[in-house]
Amino acid sequence: MIPSPIRSHPYRRRPADRDLPRTPGVELSRVAGVEHLSDPVGPELAGGGGRRRQLVGREAECAALAAAVSALVEGDGRIVEVAGEPGIGKTSLLDHVAGLARANGVQVLNGRAPAPGSDVPMAALVDALDPYLARAPQARLAEIRPDHADLLNNIFPSLRLSGARSLAPAGVPAAARQLRAVRLLLEVLAADRPLLITVDDLHNGDRATIDLLCHLLDAPPRTPLLLVVAHRRRQSPARLRLALDTAGQVTRVAVGPLAECHLDALTQVPLSAGRRGVLYDLSGGNPRYLSALLASALPAGPTSEHLELGAFPPDVESALAAELELLSTTARLVASAAAVLGPEPVDTGLLAEVGGIAAEQVPVAIDELVAADLLRPVPGGGCFAFRHRVVQHAAYLATDAGWRLAAHARALAALQGRRAAAAVRAPHLVRLAVPGDVAAVEALSEAAETVVDRAPDTAVRWLGAAIRLLPATAETAERRIALRVRLGRALGAAGHPRTARAVLHEALRMVDDHPSPARAGAILLCARLERQLGRRDEAAALLRAGLTPSDGARPGDRVALALALAGVELTSGRAGQARRWAAGALGAVRHAGAVPATVRAHALGLLAAASHLRGNRAARGETDRAAALLDATLDGDLREGPESAVWVGWSEILLDRFDSAVHHLSRAIDVSRGAGRYFPLLHLLCARILAYRCSGRLVEAAADCARALRLASRTQCRELHSVATTTAGLLDVWTGVGGTGCPPASAPPTLAPPVVGLPGTLALAAYAETRLALGDPSGCLAVASAAGLPELEPWSQVGWYELFTRAALAGDDPAEAARWATRAGEVAGRLGQPSRSALAASAAARILALRDPAAAVVAAQGAAEALVRARMPLDAAHAHVIAARALVAEGDPDRAGGALRLAEELFTRCGARLFARQANSERRRLLADAPTGARKSRRQPGHSALTKRETQVATLVSEGLTNRQVAARLFVTQKTVEMHLSHVFTKLGVTNRAALVRRVHLAGLPQAQSS
C-alpha cells in the first residue's frame, strides 16, 4: 500500500496535536511555573465573557497584540513582527495572541520554521496551514483558479484541489506565480472568518518563506488576515529585516528584558534585595537565562558575575543544546574550546591549541558561530565572547568529560607558555592540580587575591582548592593560617558571614598553637563579621583580647585594633569609651613610624565624632585636621582605608557641615568598589543618607537608600539594612511613592532588629517620623520607651525631643508637648550647637503659639533663619509654617500667606511633596477665607453666630481638652466633635486650636443660636 503524502510529509503534525492550543507563557513557566499576572485585557477582546491575563512584565507587548486582534475582528488584517533575543519570551507572546484570538472567534493556525538545511519550500507556512487544509471547506477552496491550484497542490501535501492544470501565464516566473497563489489561498481562507497565522523562528526560514513574507508586505491580502511572525533579528536575513523595517503597515513588537521588579512574580520564591539584583544583572532580564541561573547557580546565593554553574533544567539544556547541534564538527570543537577557556572574551590564538585543530580552520568556524549568534565580537579588539554566560556553560557541559580534561591541560600549557596571569591559569589549575602541588597553591592564592573584590565566589573556590592541595605539615602551618584568613575574607565578601566567622575562628585557634603575623588581620576580619551580624559586644571583646598581649605586637596592628574597637564603641552608643580608644590609637600612631594618612584621619575623625556627640565644643580642630588629611590622600590609599571617610563625614555632619561631609563621603564611595569593601561602603552610604536628609536632598537620599538596601541584603547586615529600610519608608512618605505624591497606607508596625547603638537609633528615629507623617502621633510617641532617651548622646536627644513635641501637639496634648520642648531647649543649651539650638527653638515656637502668637512669630522666624544658615532647608520650611500659623492667629493673613509660600518653595526644592501639598492647601484655604480686598487688616471675630453645640465644643477646646475628651464630656462621637470644631474654625475665622484659644480668651464667643 502506497503511504499517504500527508503522513509522509516531514513537517506534518498529528491532527490531535494541532487542535490543542499550546500553553500560554511556556517560556515564563520554565522559570517558575507561573504564566501570567492578574491584569485582564479589555472586555472588548474577551469574547464570550472570557478573561485573559497579561504575561508577566509584558503589558505593552500584550497591548500591541490585543490591538492587532481587535483590528482583525473589525476586518483589518496586518503583519506583526515580534523580535527579540533567544529565550526572551517571543514564543510566549505568540501563544498569548493565539489564545486571545481564539477567545474572539478567530481561526488560529500556528507554524514554526524548521532548523536550517530543510529542502521543503515554505516549510513554516506548510507547518501552519497543512493540517487545516485537510479539513478546510471544499466549496471555498473551489474558488481557487486552476493554474493556482496546481501550484498549491505542489506546496501543501494535504491539499488536493480538483481541476488543477499547469497553465502558466506567459512571461511570469514560476516563483512569482507561486507567491501570488499562496497569497490568494490566504485570502480565500480568511474570507469567511478572520484568520491568525503565527510563525515562530522565522530567522530559520527558507528562501521561499522569506520571499513570501516580502511579497505579503508589498501586496497585503484583501481579507482579514493577521500574520504574527517571531524572529531573532541578529540571525535573520538582511532582506527580511529591510522589508520589515521599510513596510508601512507592520506593527513592531520589540521584546526587551524584563524589569527587576518582575523577578519575584516569575520565581514565586522570596528573594532578598541583594540576590534579586544579582540574578537580574546576571540574567539580563532574560527568562530562559534566569531559569538556568536559579536552578544551577552555585552557591545558592550568587554575589558576583563570576559564579559557578551546575546542571541546567532539562528544557533549558535541550533548547541550548539544539543550537549547538546545528553546527559543523569544526565549529562545535571551536565552541567547546572557547567554553573551556571560560566566560571571559576568548583570544582566538588559543582556540586551535585548546581544540586540537588546525589554525586555519578557526576563522571559518568563528564565522559560523557568529552567524549562529553563539559568539559575538567584542568591540575594540579581536576577541569573541559567548552571547551569555549560560550559553558558554551549556557549550561546556556538551563536551565529553575526557576531552574536557585534556582541553584544560592543553589550555594550561598554552597559558603557561605565554606567562599568563595567575587568575587566567587558575580555572584550569583547579581541575588539574594534585595534593602537594605547592606551586599550584601559590598560583591559586595569588589568583584569588586578584579577583576577591569583583568575584568573591570564585576566590572562595580557588582558596578552598588551595587549602585542600597544601600538605598539613608543621612547615606549612603559617601558610595554612594565612590561606584561611583569606578564605574568611572572601566568604564575607561573598555574603556568607556566618561561614566566614567559623573559618576565621578556626584560624585563630590555629594561631594559638602556631603564632602568626596573620593574627591581627584575622581578629579584625572576625570582629567586622561580628558587627555585620549585629554582635557588637562579641566584636568588642574580641578586639580587647587582641589588644591585651602587648609583647611582640606590631605597633601598626595595635593601631588598627584600637581604631576598630573605638568604632565599635561609638556605634554602640558609648562615645566616652570610643574617645578613649581613639585617643590611644592616635598616640600609638606617633610610635608606629610611617603610617598612611588615612590612619591618622581615621583616628582624628573618630575622636572628633565621639567628642561632638558628647557636646565637646573644642573638637572642631580635630575635624579640620582629619578633613585636611583626607583631602591630601590619594584615591588608591583611600580605597584601602575607606573607614576614615566614614568618621570624618560623621564628625562634619555633627558640625552641620553637610556639603563637606557629602564631598568626603562621596569620594570614598566612588573609590570603594568591590565586594571586599561592602561593609565600609554600607557605613559610607548610611552616613551620606543622613547628610542628604539633614540638608534636604531627599531624592539623593532615596537613591542611596535603594543602593544600601541592596548591599545590606547581600551581606546580611541586619542593622544597616534596618537603617536603609526605615529611612527609605520615611522618604517614600515625604516624597510620595512612585511619583504619585501619595503616601502609603501604613508603615511597618515594629522593627525587626534590636534597637541599640547608633544604627538602631537612626532606624528608630526614621520609623517614628514615618508614624507621625502617616497621622499616627501615638505610634510615634510610643517609640520613646524603646529609644532609651536618657542614655542617648545630647546631639541625638535634641532631635528626638523636637520630634516628640510635634507628635504630642498632633495628639492634642499641649502639656506633654511643652515638656518635650523644654527638654529640647535644656539639652541644646548645654550642647551649644547652632542647628540643635535652632531645632529646639522651633519646638519652643510651637508651644509659644498656643498662648502668645506674636512671640511665636518672632521665635519661629529666628529658628528658620538659623536653620537656613545651618543648611537645613527642610527644617527651616517647617519653621516657616509655624510662623505662618502664628501670623494667622495674630490676624495677619497676608504675611501668613507669604510664609506659607516660602515654605512650599523650600519643601518643593527638597522634594518633600507631602509637606509642599500641605502648605499649598493651607495657603489656599487662607486665601479663600481672607476678606475681599483686605490687605494686612485684622479679621473681625464672629463671621456668624455659633450654635449651642458649637459653643460647647469651642469652650471645652479652649479649656485644653482633646477631641476625645470633648466627645466623652458631651456624649457624642469624636467625628461629631471634629465636624463641629471645623464649623467653629470657619465661623470665627481661625485655622487652628491655638488661634481658637486666643480668640476665646481675648474676645469671647459670639452669642449662640438656638440649636
Side-chain angles (χ1 to χ4, degrees):
M1 182 175 179
I2 300 175
S4 166
I6 297 178
R7 296 181 180 276
S8 63
H9 192 272
Y11 301 106
R12 176 74 173 94
R13 298 182 184 174
R14 290 181 295 133
D17 294 335
R18 297 295 304 179
D19 290 340
L20 294 174
R22 287 179 287 176
T23 303
V26 62
E27 291 196 0
L28 296 183
S29 66
R30 291 171 183 165
V31 176
V34 297
E35 299 169 359
H36 302 96
L37 291 176
S38 58
D39 278 344
V41 297
E44 71 278 8
L45 293 179
R51 293 169 63 88
R52 294 192 58 79
R53 295 171 294 172
Q54 292 183 338
L55 296 172
V56 173
R58 298 299 183 202
E59 290 79 10
E61 294 87 342
C62 288
L65 294 172
V69 173
S70 180
L72 177 66
V73 173
E74 296 297 326
D76 181 17
R78 62 184 64 188
I79 294 178
V80 177
E81 174 198 12
V82 179
E85 293 280 313
I88 202 68
K90 301 183 296 298
T91 301
S92 300
L93 289 170
L94 293 189
D95 292 332
H96 178 79
V97 72
L100 186 61
R102 287 191 187 94
N104 284 271
V106 175
Q107 175 66 48
V108 178
L109 304 177
N110 302 315
R112 181 187 295 272
S118 168
D119 57 355
V120 178
M122 297 190 190
L125 200 64
V126 172
D127 188 37
L129 268 63
D130 199 58
Y132 174 71
L133 293 175
R135 59 182 188 274
Q138 295 300 311
R140 174 59 66 184
L141 294 176
E143 299 176 8
I144 298 175
R145 287 168 33 186
D147 56 324
H148 290 156
D150 185 65
L151 292 168
L152 294 172
N153 284 339
N154 292 331
I155 297 173
F156 299 99
S158 295
L159 196 59
R160 285 295 176 264
L161 296 175
S162 59
R165 54 191 177 91
S166 299
L167 181 60
V172 179
R177 289 186 287 110
Q178 189 179 60
L179 297 176
R180 188 178 304 167
V182 174
R183 179 172 63 84
L184 293 175
L185 173 64
L186 296 177
E187 290 181 350
V188 168
L189 295 178
D192 292 333
R193 181 183 177 190
L195 176 63
L196 166 66
I197 299 176
T198 68
V199 177
D200 206 354
D201 294 339
L202 185 61
H203 51 276
N204 290 333
D206 56 88
R207 183 179 183 84
T209 301
I210 303 302
D211 289 341
L212 174 63
L213 184 62
C214 295
H215 174 70
L216 293 175
L217 290 169
D218 291 334
R222 292 161 293 187
T223 52
L225 168 67
L226 175 60
L227 180 62
V228 183
V229 298
H231 69 129
R232 307 173 186 175
R233 288 189 67 90
R234 282 178 177 268
Q235 295 172 250
S236 293
R239 63 193 183 94
L240 173 61
R241 299 198 302 268
L242 179 63
L244 288 167
D245 290 341
T246 55
Q249 74 274 29
V250 174
T251 299
R252 296 176 181 85
V253 178
V255 190
L258 295 170
E260 184 175 341
C261 61
H262 297 134
L263 262 63
D264 287 330
L266 290 175
T267 59
Q268 285 191 326
V269 294
L271 293 175
S272 64
R275 193 172 186 216
R276 184 188 304 109
V278 171
L279 283 172
Y280 183 75
D281 291 341
L282 291 173
S283 66
N286 186 299
R288 180 180 295 166
Y289 299 155
L290 176 64
S291 174
L293 293 169
L294 281 172
S296 63
L298 302 173
T303 57
S304 72
E305 61 185 30
H306 300 271
L307 78 165
E308 187 77 11
L309 296 178
F312 287 150
D315 53 350
V316 176
E317 182 181 0
S318 60
L320 296 171
E323 297 186 59
L324 297 169
E325 289 174 358
L326 299 175
L327 301 173
S328 65
T329 302
T330 304
R332 281 201 299 272
L333 280 172
V334 171
S336 299
V340 166
L341 288 171
E344 300 293 339
V346 178
D347 182 354
T348 56
L350 289 171
L351 291 175
E353 295 180 64
V354 177
I357 59 176
E360 58 269 17
Q361 293 180 295
V362 172
V364 177
I366 287 178
D367 287 342
E368 185 178 346
L369 291 169
V370 171
D373 198 29
L374 292 168
L375 289 183
R376 293 177 180 176
V378 177
C383 298
F384 295 82
F386 284 92
R387 73 168 183 257
H388 194 271
R389 173 72 172 88
V390 167
V391 180
Q392 179 266 337
H393 190 60
Y396 186 82
L397 294 178
T399 60
D400 293 332
W403 184 94
R404 189 186 312 158
L405 195 62
H408 279 296
R410 292 193 294 268
L412 181 60
L415 291 170
Q416 287 174 337
R418 297 184 177 203
R419 299 182 182 274
V424 179
R425 292 181 282 120
H428 311 289
L429 273 172
V430 79
R431 290 171 172 84
L432 298 170
V434 296
D437 189 343
V438 178
V441 170
E442 294 299 325
L444 289 171
S445 177
E446 178 187 349
E449 190 66 20
T450 61
V451 303
V452 66
D453 280 340
R454 59 186 176 90
D457 289 312
T458 301
V460 167
R461 290 194 302 276
W462 291 350
L463 287 168
I467 291 173
R468 289 192 300 272
L469 294 174
L470 189 66
T473 63
E475 292 76 14
T476 63
E478 186 172 326
R479 186 61 181 149
R480 282 185 282 120
I481 293 172
L483 285 174
R484 277 177 169 76
V485 172
R486 288 189 177 185
L487 178 60
R489 177 194 170 197
L491 283 165
H496 308 290
R498 289 176 175 78
T499 307
R501 176 178 172 273
V503 169
L504 288 169
H505 274 289
E506 181 183 357
L508 288 173
R509 284 193 295 271
M510 294 173 65
V511 168
D512 293 338
D513 299 329
H514 304 278
S516 169
R519 175 177 178 272
I523 292 174
L524 287 169
L525 284 172
C526 197
R528 173 178 291 183
L529 291 167
E530 298 285 10
R531 289 177 60 191
Q532 193 169 323
L533 295 169
R535 299 156 56 96
R536 279 196 299 270
D537 290 341
E538 289 81 353
L542 190 62
L543 291 166
R544 289 194 188 94
L547 285 164
T548 301
S550 56
D551 298 338
R554 295 181 296 185
D557 291 343
R558 292 190 62 80
V559 169
L561 291 168
L563 288 177
L565 182 54
V568 172
E569 298 285 15
L570 191 54
T571 55
S572 300
R574 297 186 287 267
Q577 292 287 344
R579 180 171 173 79
R580 281 192 286 275
W581 284 110
L586 195 60
V589 165
R590 301 187 181 95
H591 305 287
V595 296
T598 52
V599 175
R600 293 196 296 275
H602 191 168
L604 285 167
L606 268 167
L607 193 62
S611 300
H612 296 323
L613 282 172
R614 289 181 61 81
N616 187 343
R617 306 180 189 181
R620 292 177 180 270
E622 295 163 351
T623 300
D624 294 337
R625 292 199 302 274
L629 284 170
L630 210 59
D631 289 334
T633 302
L634 297 176
D635 284 354
D637 295 334
L638 183 59
R639 186 173 185 270
E640 296 303 317
E643 294 90 345
S644 58
V646 172
W647 298 115
V648 173
W650 260 103
S651 66
E652 290 176 322
I653 290 171
L654 296 173
L655 287 176
D656 306 334
R657 300 176 183 176
F658 304 114
D659 291 341
S660 182
V662 167
H663 166 70
H664 290 124
L665 293 167
S666 298
R667 184 178 169 223
I669 288 170
D670 291 341
V671 301
S672 297
R673 304 296 182 188
R677 292 165 180 80
Y678 283 161
F679 190 65
L681 180 58
L682 262 173
H683 279 277
L684 288 165
L685 285 170
C686 287
R688 192 168 71 173
I689 288 168
L690 180 61
Y692 278 148
R693 177 182 157 188
C694 290
S695 56
R697 298 165 65 175
L698 302 186
V699 175
E700 292 97 326
D704 274 359
C705 281
R707 186 176 177 187
L709 270 173
R710 186 166 172 175
L711 283 176
S713 175
R714 181 178 300 182
T715 56
Q716 302 178 32
C717 188
R718 295 174 62 238
E719 286 184 348
L720 298 184
H721 187 276
S722 176
V723 173
T725 301
T726 52
T727 306
L730 174 64
L731 294 173
D732 281 346
V733 175
W734 281 357
T735 62
V737 178
T740 63
C742 299
S746 61
T750 57
L751 291 177
V755 183
V756 290
L758 191 56
T761 302
L762 290 175
L764 200 61
Y767 173 79
E769 283 274 16
T770 305
R771 298 291 349 163
L772 181 58
L774 291 173
D776 181 16
S778 60
C780 174
L781 289 168
V783 178
S785 58
L789 297 181
E791 289 77 29
L792 290 179
E793 305 300 339
W795 189 89
S796 302
Q797 284 179 340
V798 176
W800 278 104
Y801 295 150
E802 189 274 337
L803 169 62
F804 289 151
T805 300
R806 288 184 276 132
L809 285 174
D812 293 331
D813 194 346
E816 182 68 12
R819 286 193 290 273
W820 288 119
T822 301
R823 294 184 192 179
E826 292 172 351
V827 177
R830 295 194 302 269
L831 189 61
Q833 188 70 26
S835 66
R836 302 293 100 181
S837 298
L839 279 179
S842 180
R846 293 179 186 274
I847 304 303
L848 200 57
L850 297 176
R851 61 179 185 274
D852 190 352
V857 171
V858 176
Q861 289 176 340
E865 292 173 2
L867 289 165
V868 168
R869 288 194 298 271
R871 302 293 180 89
M872 299 173 65
L874 193 62
D875 294 286
H878 284 298
H880 283 301
V881 172
I882 299 170
R885 291 170 179 168
L887 285 167
V888 170
E890 274 289 286
D892 196 343
D894 285 355
R895 288 179 62 198
L900 286 171
R901 186 181 298 106
L902 178 57
E904 183 182 351
E905 291 174 358
L906 288 173
F907 285 138
T908 302
R909 195 181 308 162
C910 294
R913 286 179 286 180
L914 173 67
F915 301 129
R917 287 197 314 275
Q918 292 174 352
N920 181 271
S921 298
E922 199 164 338
R923 184 169 62 86
R924 290 178 179 277
R925 185 169 59 248
L926 182 62
L927 291 174
D929 292 341
T932 304
R935 189 170 295 275
K936 291 188 178 181
S937 60
R938 292 187 177 272
R939 187 169 298 179
Q940 298 301 318
H943 291 133
S944 62
L946 303 181
T947 66
K948 181 179 179 180
R949 180 65 79 186
E950 288 168 353
T951 302
Q952 291 173 335
V953 170
T955 302
L956 292 174
V957 169
S958 68
E959 294 173 359
L961 273 67
T962 66
N963 289 356
R964 186 180 299 108
Q965 292 169 334
V966 172
R969 183 77 61 86
L970 299 178
F971 300 100
V972 296
T973 66
Q974 190 170 338
K975 287 290 184 182
T976 301
V977 173
E978 292 171 357
M979 178 191 68
H980 287 309
L981 192 57
S982 176
H983 294 165
V984 170
F985 285 174
T986 301
K987 292 180 178 181
L988 297 186
V990 298
T991 58
N992 54 46
R993 302 172 78 92
L996 173 62
V997 172
R998 178 175 172 79
R999 169 73 176 79
V1000 171
H1001 288 306
L1002 292 180
L1005 291 172
Q1007 185 176 0
Q1009 303 174 2
S1010 59
S1011 299

